[in-house]
Amino acid sequence: MLLMEKVAMLNRQNETFALAMIIESKGSTPRHVGKMIVYRDGSIEGTVGGGLAEHYIIQESVKAIQNGQSKIVEYKLNRHAKDGIQMSCGGTLRVFIEVYTSRPELVLCGAGHLGFALAKLADFLELPYCIVDDRVDFCTKERFPNATNLFVDEDIGKAMLAANLNEKSYVVIVTKDGDDIVLKTALQFPCAYVGMVASKRKVITIFEKLKSEGVTQEKLEQVYSPIGLEMGSETTAEIAISIIGEIIKVSKEKKSVKVKQLIR
């Protein structure tokens, strides 16, 4: 597989990685043209010439991935030059490190009006999403043609488990009547975000129920509820925008922040 084909494949698979590419070289350098995929753990595919320069480029690529920002780096391959690195080639290299960050993978738990509005907005923003529900007539390919998967079961807990939640999952809970089951299941996994649409009274009731079932306060404090950005949303479409807005905001934050907590 050609390197750029691999880049396209990784992007389709919603992976996080960097592409380091030589954009300028002067004088003697190991390579004048080269591309290299760098993963979060520092492993690579391809090369920009090897040696110490490549070692530094890998380090800078990993940092760029962690910061979520592309950058240009430059190296003087001359141990005797000011700011030069311990190489004897004598030339200079400029390398563009392009970061490909994974998009939020939405897990929309509930195929009703709000779930439908969230899916339409995700389609517009090209965000991947799956649907979880316990109603066969609502959770259909006709209703959600662009969903990556549909997980439907009379036991919504089983449907939720089938969704294979992970650290990329952004879970939005808008079910008909299974919020407690879905929330308890979601909190068993290292999800990036778990939000639940509910009134203050309903949240308190569900939280107390889950605590009685062994869910810790620490886990419950991970839940975003009230859900969405505070923008005075009233209509279904406006609420969907506030939820997606909050998810985008959370996904862009470089450092962990204290999530919204219900004042009770």
Side-chain angles (χ1 to χ4, degrees), residues 195-234:
M196 182 172 66
V197 175
S199 66
K200 181 177 180 179
R201 182 181 296 277
K202 184 176 179 179
V203 171
I204 292 171
T205 301
I206 289 176
F207 279 19
E208 290 303 319
K209 180 177 185 292
L210 295 190
K211 279 194 283 189
S212 73
E213 295 174 359
V215 179
T216 66
Q217 180 66 28
E218 182 182 9
K219 286 284 187 182
L220 293 171
E221 287 176 357
Q222 297 173 17
V223 181
Y224 283 72
S225 195
I227 193 174
L229 298 176
E230 296 180 8
M231 48 186 280
S233 303
E234 293 184 359

Short mmCIF file of all heavy atoms in Angstrom, two decimals, residues 195-234:
data_model
loop_
_atom_site.label_atom_id
_atom_site.label_comp_id
_atom_site.label_asym_id
_atom_site.label_seq_id
_atom_site.Cartn_x
_atom_site.Cartn_y
_atom_site.Cartn_z
N GLY A 195 -23.29 12.45 28.12
CA GLY A 195 -24.25 13.50 28.44
C GLY A 195 -25.66 12.95 28.43
O GLY A 195 -25.98 12.05 27.64
N MET A 196 -26.51 13.48 29.28
CA MET A 196 -27.89 12.98 29.40
C MET A 196 -28.86 14.15 29.41
O MET A 196 -28.71 15.10 30.17
CB MET A 196 -28.03 12.16 30.68
CG MET A 196 -29.41 11.55 30.88
SD MET A 196 -29.47 10.39 32.27
CE MET A 196 -29.15 11.51 33.65
N VAL A 197 -29.87 14.06 28.55
CA VAL A 197 -30.93 15.06 28.53
C VAL A 197 -31.94 14.70 29.61
O VAL A 197 -32.56 13.63 29.56
CB VAL A 197 -31.62 15.10 27.16
CG1 VAL A 197 -32.81 16.05 27.19
CG2 VAL A 197 -30.64 15.53 26.08
N ALA A 198 -32.08 15.56 30.60
CA ALA A 198 -32.99 15.26 31.71
C ALA A 198 -33.19 16.51 32.55
O ALA A 198 -32.33 17.39 32.61
CB ALA A 198 -32.43 14.13 32.57
N SER A 199 -34.32 16.56 33.22
CA SER A 199 -34.58 17.63 34.17
C SER A 199 -33.74 17.42 35.42
O SER A 199 -33.21 16.32 35.65
CB SER A 199 -36.06 17.64 34.56
OG SER A 199 -36.38 16.44 35.29
N LYS A 200 -33.62 18.45 36.22
CA LYS A 200 -32.85 18.35 37.46
C LYS A 200 -33.41 17.24 38.34
O LYS A 200 -32.66 16.42 38.90
CB LYS A 200 -32.90 19.68 38.19
CG LYS A 200 -32.10 19.71 39.50
CD LYS A 200 -32.13 21.09 40.12
CE LYS A 200 -31.36 21.13 41.42
NZ LYS A 200 -31.36 22.48 42.04
N ARG A 201 -34.74 17.16 38.47
CA ARG A 201 -35.36 16.14 39.31
C ARG A 201 -35.04 14.74 38.78
O ARG A 201 -34.73 13.82 39.55
CB ARG A 201 -36.87 16.36 39.36
CG ARG A 201 -37.60 15.36 40.26
CD ARG A 201 -39.09 15.64 40.23
NE ARG A 201 -39.40 16.96 40.79
CZ ARG A 201 -39.54 17.18 42.10
NH1 ARG A 201 -39.37 16.20 42.97
NH2 ARG A 201 -39.83 18.39 42.53
N LYS A 202 -35.12 14.57 37.45
CA LYS A 202 -34.86 13.26 36.87
C LYS A 202 -33.41 12.83 37.08
O LYS A 202 -33.12 11.67 37.37
CB LYS A 202 -35.19 13.27 35.37
CG LYS A 202 -35.03 11.91 34.70
CD LYS A 202 -35.45 11.97 33.25
CE LYS A 202 -35.27 10.61 32.57
NZ LYS A 202 -35.69 10.64 31.15
N VAL A 203 -32.49 13.79 36.93
CA VAL A 203 -31.07 13.47 37.14
C VAL A 203 -30.84 13.01 38.57
O VAL A 203 -30.15 12.01 38.81
CB VAL A 203 -30.19 14.70 36.82
CG1 VAL A 203 -28.74 14.44 37.25
CG2 VAL A 203 -30.23 15.00 35.33
N ILE A 204 -31.39 13.73 39.52
CA ILE A 204 -31.23 13.35 40.93
C ILE A 204 -31.77 11.94 41.17
O ILE A 204 -31.12 11.11 41.82
CB ILE A 204 -31.93 14.37 41.86
CG1 ILE A 204 -31.22 15.71 41.79
CG2 ILE A 204 -31.98 13.85 43.28
CD1 ILE A 204 -31.95 16.84 42.50
N THR A 205 -32.94 11.65 40.63
CA THR A 205 -33.55 10.33 40.80
C THR A 205 -32.68 9.23 40.21
O THR A 205 -32.44 8.20 40.85
CB THR A 205 -34.94 10.31 40.13
OG1 THR A 205 -35.77 11.31 40.73
CG2 THR A 205 -35.60 8.94 40.30
N ILE A 206 -32.19 9.46 38.98
CA ILE A 206 -31.36 8.45 38.32
C ILE A 206 -30.03 8.27 39.05
O ILE A 206 -29.57 7.14 39.26
CB ILE A 206 -31.14 8.82 36.84
CG1 ILE A 206 -32.45 8.64 36.06
CG2 ILE A 206 -30.03 7.96 36.21
CD1 ILE A 206 -32.37 9.07 34.61
N PHE A 207 -29.43 9.37 39.45
CA PHE A 207 -28.15 9.28 40.17
C PHE A 207 -28.31 8.49 41.47
O PHE A 207 -27.47 7.65 41.81
CB PHE A 207 -27.60 10.67 40.45
CG PHE A 207 -26.88 11.31 39.28
CD1 PHE A 207 -27.08 10.85 37.99
CD2 PHE A 207 -26.00 12.36 39.47
CE1 PHE A 207 -26.41 11.43 36.91
CE2 PHE A 207 -25.33 12.95 38.41
CZ PHE A 207 -25.54 12.48 37.13
N GLU A 208 -29.37 8.77 42.21
CA GLU A 208 -29.59 8.06 43.48
C GLU A 208 -29.81 6.57 43.22
O GLU A 208 -29.32 5.72 43.97
CB GLU A 208 -30.78 8.67 44.22
CG GLU A 208 -30.53 10.06 44.77
CD GLU A 208 -29.34 10.13 45.72
OE1 GLU A 208 -29.18 9.20 46.53
OE2 GLU A 208 -28.57 11.11 45.65
N LYS A 209 -30.54 6.26 42.18
CA LYS A 209 -30.78 4.86 41.82
C LYS A 209 -29.47 4.15 41.49
O LYS A 209 -29.20 3.04 41.96
CB LYS A 209 -31.74 4.78 40.63
CG LYS A 209 -32.06 3.35 40.17
CD LYS A 209 -33.08 3.39 39.03
CE LYS A 209 -33.51 1.99 38.63
NZ LYS A 209 -32.44 1.21 38.00
N LEU A 210 -28.65 4.79 40.67
CA LEU A 210 -27.39 4.16 40.26
C LEU A 210 -26.42 4.03 41.44
O LEU A 210 -25.68 3.05 41.53
CB LEU A 210 -26.75 4.95 39.12
CG LEU A 210 -27.53 4.97 37.80
CD1 LEU A 210 -26.68 5.57 36.68
CD2 LEU A 210 -28.01 3.59 37.40
N LYS A 211 -26.42 5.01 42.33
CA LYS A 211 -25.57 4.90 43.52
C LYS A 211 -25.99 3.72 44.38
O LYS A 211 -25.14 3.01 44.94
CB LYS A 211 -25.60 6.21 44.32
CG LYS A 211 -24.69 7.29 43.77
CD LYS A 211 -24.46 8.43 44.74
CE LYS A 211 -25.63 9.36 44.81
NZ LYS A 211 -25.33 10.59 45.60
N SER A 212 -27.29 3.48 44.46
CA SER A 212 -27.77 2.33 45.23
C SER A 212 -27.39 1.01 44.56
O SER A 212 -27.38 -0.04 45.21
CB SER A 212 -29.30 2.41 45.39
OG SER A 212 -29.96 2.11 44.16
N GLU A 213 -27.06 1.08 43.27
CA GLU A 213 -26.66 -0.12 42.53
C GLU A 213 -25.14 -0.24 42.43
O GLU A 213 -24.63 -1.09 41.71
CB GLU A 213 -27.28 -0.09 41.12
CG GLU A 213 -28.80 -0.17 41.14
CD GLU A 213 -29.43 0.00 39.76
OE1 GLU A 213 -28.67 0.21 38.78
OE2 GLU A 213 -30.66 -0.07 39.66
N GLY A 214 -24.42 0.63 43.13
CA GLY A 214 -22.97 0.50 43.21
C GLY A 214 -22.16 1.44 42.35
O GLY A 214 -20.92 1.39 42.35
N VAL A 215 -22.81 2.33 41.61
CA VAL A 215 -22.08 3.30 40.79
C VAL A 215 -21.54 4.39 41.71
O VAL A 215 -22.27 4.94 42.53
CB VAL A 215 -22.98 3.91 39.71
CG1 VAL A 215 -22.20 4.95 38.88
CG2 VAL A 215 -23.54 2.83 38.80
N THR A 216 -20.26 4.69 41.58
CA THR A 216 -19.62 5.65 42.49
C THR A 216 -19.95 7.10 42.15
O THR A 216 -20.28 7.42 40.99
CB THR A 216 -18.10 5.48 42.47
OG1 THR A 216 -17.60 5.86 41.17
CG2 THR A 216 -17.69 4.05 42.78
N GLN A 217 -19.84 7.96 43.13
CA GLN A 217 -20.04 9.39 42.92
C GLN A 217 -19.04 9.93 41.90
O GLN A 217 -19.36 10.79 41.07
CB GLN A 217 -19.89 10.14 44.24
CG GLN A 217 -20.09 11.65 44.15
CD GLN A 217 -21.51 12.03 43.78
OE1 GLN A 217 -22.45 11.31 44.06
NE2 GLN A 217 -21.66 13.19 43.12
N GLU A 218 -17.81 9.41 41.96
CA GLU A 218 -16.77 9.84 41.01
C GLU A 218 -17.21 9.57 39.58
O GLU A 218 -17.00 10.41 38.68
CB GLU A 218 -15.47 9.11 41.32
CG GLU A 218 -14.31 9.52 40.41
CD GLU A 218 -13.04 8.75 40.71
OE1 GLU A 218 -13.09 7.77 41.49
OE2 GLU A 218 -12.00 9.11 40.15
N LYS A 219 -17.79 8.41 39.34
CA LYS A 219 -18.28 8.09 38.00
C LYS A 219 -19.41 9.02 37.58
O LYS A 219 -19.44 9.52 36.45
CB LYS A 219 -18.78 6.64 37.96
CG LYS A 219 -17.68 5.59 37.96
CD LYS A 219 -17.02 5.48 36.60
CE LYS A 219 -16.05 4.33 36.54
NZ LYS A 219 -15.36 4.25 35.22
N LEU A 220 -20.32 9.27 38.48
CA LEU A 220 -21.47 10.11 38.17
C LEU A 220 -21.06 11.55 37.87
O LEU A 220 -21.72 12.25 37.10
CB LEU A 220 -22.48 10.07 39.31
CG LEU A 220 -23.17 8.71 39.51
CD1 LEU A 220 -23.98 8.71 40.81
CD2 LEU A 220 -24.06 8.36 38.33
N GLU A 221 -19.97 12.00 38.47
CA GLU A 221 -19.50 13.36 38.23
C GLU A 221 -18.91 13.54 36.84
O GLU A 221 -18.62 14.66 36.42
CB GLU A 221 -18.47 13.75 39.30
CG GLU A 221 -19.11 14.01 40.66
CD GLU A 221 -18.09 14.31 41.75
OE1 GLU A 221 -16.88 14.25 41.46
OE2 GLU A 221 -18.51 14.60 42.88
N GLN A 222 -18.76 12.45 36.11
CA GLN A 222 -18.29 12.53 34.73
C GLN A 222 -19.42 12.89 33.77
O GLN A 222 -19.18 13.24 32.61
CB GLN A 222 -17.68 11.19 34.30
CG GLN A 222 -16.45 10.77 35.08
CD GLN A 222 -16.00 9.36 34.72
OE1 GLN A 222 -16.40 8.81 33.69
NE2 GLN A 222 -15.18 8.78 35.56
N VAL A 223 -20.64 12.82 34.24
CA VAL A 223 -21.81 12.99 33.38
C VAL A 223 -22.11 14.48 33.15
O VAL A 223 -22.13 15.27 34.10
CB VAL A 223 -23.05 12.31 34.00
CG1 VAL A 223 -24.26 12.48 33.08
CG2 VAL A 223 -22.76 10.84 34.26
N TYR A 224 -22.34 14.83 31.90
CA TYR A 224 -22.76 16.19 31.56
C TYR A 224 -24.29 16.25 31.61
O TYR A 224 -24.98 15.68 30.76
CB TYR A 224 -22.29 16.56 30.15
CG TYR A 224 -20.83 16.93 30.05
CD1 TYR A 224 -19.84 15.96 30.16
CD2 TYR A 224 -20.44 18.24 29.80
CE1 TYR A 224 -18.49 16.29 30.06
CE2 TYR A 224 -19.09 18.59 29.69
CZ TYR A 224 -18.14 17.60 29.82
OH TYR A 224 -16.81 17.94 29.72
N SER A 225 -24.80 16.91 32.63
CA SER A 225 -26.24 17.10 32.74
C SER A 225 -26.48 18.23 33.74
O SER A 225 -26.04 18.10 34.88
CB SER A 225 -26.92 15.81 33.22
OG SER A 225 -28.30 15.87 33.01
N PRO A 226 -27.08 19.34 33.37
CA PRO A 226 -27.72 19.61 32.08
C PRO A 226 -26.75 19.47 30.91
O PRO A 226 -25.57 19.79 31.03
CB PRO A 226 -28.20 21.05 32.20
CG PRO A 226 -28.21 21.33 33.67
CD PRO A 226 -27.12 20.50 34.26
N ILE A 227 -27.24 18.97 29.80
CA ILE A 227 -26.41 18.72 28.62
C ILE A 227 -26.46 19.93 27.68
O ILE A 227 -27.44 20.66 27.64
CB ILE A 227 -26.89 17.45 27.90
CG1 ILE A 227 -25.88 16.96 26.87
CG2 ILE A 227 -28.26 17.67 27.27
CD1 ILE A 227 -26.25 15.62 26.24
N GLY A 228 -25.37 20.15 26.96
CA GLY A 228 -25.33 21.19 25.94
C GLY A 228 -24.82 22.53 26.44
O GLY A 228 -24.79 22.80 27.64
N LEU A 229 -24.42 23.36 25.50
CA LEU A 229 -23.98 24.72 25.82
C LEU A 229 -25.17 25.55 26.29
O LEU A 229 -26.29 25.37 25.80
CB LEU A 229 -23.35 25.38 24.60
CG LEU A 229 -22.08 24.71 24.02
CD1 LEU A 229 -21.65 25.43 22.75
CD2 LEU A 229 -20.96 24.71 25.05
N GLU A 230 -24.93 26.45 27.22
CA GLU A 230 -26.00 27.31 27.72
C GLU A 230 -26.25 28.43 26.72
O GLU A 230 -25.49 29.39 26.63
CB GLU A 230 -25.61 27.86 29.09
CG GLU A 230 -25.47 26.79 30.17
CD GLU A 230 -25.09 27.36 31.52
OE1 GLU A 230 -25.10 28.61 31.64
OE2 GLU A 230 -24.77 26.58 32.43
N MET A 231 -27.31 28.27 25.92
CA MET A 231 -27.60 29.26 24.88
C MET A 231 -29.11 29.52 24.75
O MET A 231 -29.59 30.01 23.74
CB MET A 231 -27.03 28.81 23.54
CG MET A 231 -27.34 27.37 23.16
SD MET A 231 -26.50 26.82 21.66
CE MET A 231 -27.56 27.55 20.40
N GLY A 232 -29.84 29.15 25.81
CA GLY A 232 -31.27 29.41 25.80
C GLY A 232 -32.03 28.59 24.78
O GLY A 232 -33.07 29.04 24.25
N SER A 233 -31.56 27.39 24.48
CA SER A 233 -32.19 26.54 23.47
C SER A 233 -33.60 26.14 23.88
O SER A 233 -33.85 25.83 25.05
CB SER A 233 -31.36 25.27 23.26
OG SER A 233 -30.04 25.59 22.90
N GLU A 234 -34.52 26.13 22.90
CA GLU A 234 -35.90 25.75 23.16
C GLU A 234 -36.38 24.68 22.18
O GLU A 234 -36.95 23.68 22.59
CB GLU A 234 -36.81 26.97 23.10
CG GLU A 234 -36.55 27.97 24.23
CD GLU A 234 -37.54 29.13 24.22
OE1 GLU A 234 -38.41 29.16 23.32
OE2 GLU A 234 -37.44 29.99 25.11
#
